[in-house]
Amino acid sequence: MRRSGWKRMTVGALAVSAVSLALAGCAGGGQTGESSLDGERVEQTEGLGEEKIGGGENQGKDQLARILEKGEIVVAMEGTWSPWTYHDESDALVGYDVEVAGLIGEKLGVKVTFVEGEWDGLFAGLDAGRYDLVVNGVEVTPEREEKYDFTDPYAFIRTAIVVDGENEEIRSFEDLKGKRTANTISSTYAELAEGYGAVVTGVDDLNQTFELLLSGRIDATLNAELTYYDYMKAHPDRNLKIAALTEEASLVVIPVRKGEDSRSLREAVNQAIGEMRESGELGRLSEKYFGSDISRDPKSVE
């Protein structure tokens, strides 16, 4: 597992060092609420860390310093991709990414404000500075590497080709050539399908993708292997199957804006991810939402 390469300390201590702020102890339960931001759905979660950054003069004024000064980090996600980020029966925003982002907020000692939107809008908001992080099962691609800096991976997943249970024409990624697929435009899955010659239909969310597949309007869809298992667990009567899987696991990361302004934020988030992995928190969340530990590279597990 790639390490950040600097002396270990708590995330709270790192944040203090980065912006020369004093620590102030805090305790108590979290509070949630909803507000609005640019017409998007917003849910707020209060930081619950044992240590919380207090007031004081903020001389750095980089992104992390501004977050700490405001006491809030804005995290964007779709809210429609189970089990990563979705709404439960009570309409509460839940999922693996929701809890991971919440823990990052805890360790920084700030309130987490979740903003939900469509896939492309998440990155547009990050580019414009409306969001601090996009936590939505984002995978590393060469195109994204050119535009964003990434945290260390916090999950590792393989991509599956999902087809109708009776489909025998698609058995490999090469068989996608000329076939109809559906995914959110500019997603890793859409790009991969196009790379193999598929004709990709753009959709808004996962449910729409499976509706198109079940109705025969597309031949296949690409998605995370674990997302397929989660869908089938909720819909055991659906006649779908995995036709093929990638050999290598994709790296799931948190993108931040490129440049020095976001460097200390990325380092602080890396430290939080490292602490969550070492404490077993990431593994427990993986088991809770996926039924297996996706927080470690399968190649590193003996």
Side-chain angles (χ1 to χ4, degrees):
M1 179 63 194
R2 187 167 76 252
R3 302 295 296 173
S4 54
W6 33 273
K7 187 176 180 181
R8 177 169 177 77
M9 60 183 78
T10 65
V11 173
L14 168 65
V16 173
S17 175
V19 298
S20 301
L21 293 173
L23 276 174
C26 73
Q31 297 178 348
T32 61
E34 292 190 358
S35 58
S36 62
L37 176 66
D38 296 336
E40 297 161 306
R41 178 167 181 158
V42 179
E43 183 168 328
Q44 297 177 339
T45 301
E46 200 72 30
L48 303 176
E50 293 180 359
E51 294 180 334
K52 192 169 183 177
I53 303 303
E57 291 298 322
N58 186 339
Q59 300 299 324
K61 295 297 183 182
D62 65 359
Q63 188 180 8
L64 178 60
R66 296 191 298 272
I67 289 169
L68 296 173
E69 186 176 56
K70 188 178 180 182
E72 175 191 41
I73 187 168
V74 181
V75 176
M77 54 182 53
E78 287 178 293
T80 58
W81 188 26
S82 175
W84 297 85
T85 159
Y86 64 103
H87 287 262
D88 64 14
E89 295 179 354
S90 67
D91 201 33
L93 181 63
V94 297
Y96 181 70
D97 278 338
V98 176
E99 295 208 39
V100 167
L103 286 171
I104 290 171
E106 282 188 23
K107 292 179 182 297
L108 291 179
V110 296
K111 174 178 64 180
V112 181
T113 297
F114 294 104
V115 182
E116 300 172 53
E118 295 184 1
W119 175 259
D120 287 341
L122 305 184
F123 291 92
L126 182 65
D127 297 342
R130 295 198 305 274
Y131 314 141
D132 297 305
L133 303 173
V134 173
V135 186
N136 198 85
V138 178
E139 298 176 47
V140 174
T141 67
E143 294 76 16
R144 290 174 193 155
E145 284 183 308
E146 292 180 2
K147 192 169 185 179
Y148 303 102
D149 286 334
F150 298 132
T151 64
D152 292 337
Y154 68 99
F156 301 81
I157 57 175
R158 292 191 297 173
T159 298
I161 301 176
V162 182
V163 299
D164 182 271
E166 306 303 319
N167 188 315
E168 297 296 334
E169 294 184 6
I170 300 175
R171 299 187 179 185
S172 69
F173 283 85
E174 288 74 15
D175 292 335
L176 291 173
K177 186 174 182 179
K179 297 297 193 296
R180 302 163 299 165
T181 68
N183 278 106
T184 50
I185 295 300
S186 80
S187 69
T188 306
Y189 306 117
E191 293 171 359
L192 183 60
E194 289 174 339
Y196 279 99
V199 179
V200 179
T201 297
V203 294
D204 294 329
D205 56 46
L206 181 67
N207 289 330
Q208 186 179 358
T209 300
F210 281 120
E211 287 172 5
L212 291 174
L213 182 57
L214 290 164
S215 66
R217 294 168 63 186
I218 59 173
D219 302 302
T221 184
L222 278 62
N223 216 299
E225 175 186 9
L226 293 168
T227 298
Y228 163 80
Y229 292 135
D230 182 72
Y231 180 84
M232 293 304 294
K233 181 179 179 181
H235 306 87
D237 59 325
R238 304 296 164 83
N239 186 24
L240 299 173
K241 68 179 181 181
I242 290 179
L245 289 167
T246 53
E247 293 184 6
E248 297 290 326
S250 297
L251 307 181
V252 179
V253 297
I254 300 174
V256 300
R257 291 185 291 278
K258 267 192 179 296
E260 187 66 19
D261 183 60
S262 297
R263 181 182 62 82
S264 62
L265 173 62
R266 180 170 55 85
E267 291 177 345
V269 174
N270 279 343
Q271 184 65 39
I273 291 170
E275 291 179 2
M276 286 187 282
R277 178 170 287 111
E278 291 178 13
S279 69
E281 290 171 298
L282 275 182
R284 287 191 291 272
L285 287 177
S286 295
E287 292 287 351
K288 175 180 177 180
Y289 285 103
F290 298 102
S292 62
D293 187 358
I294 68 168
S295 69
R296 297 184 184 276
D297 187 344
K299 290 186 176 181
S300 69
V301 179
E302 297 182 356

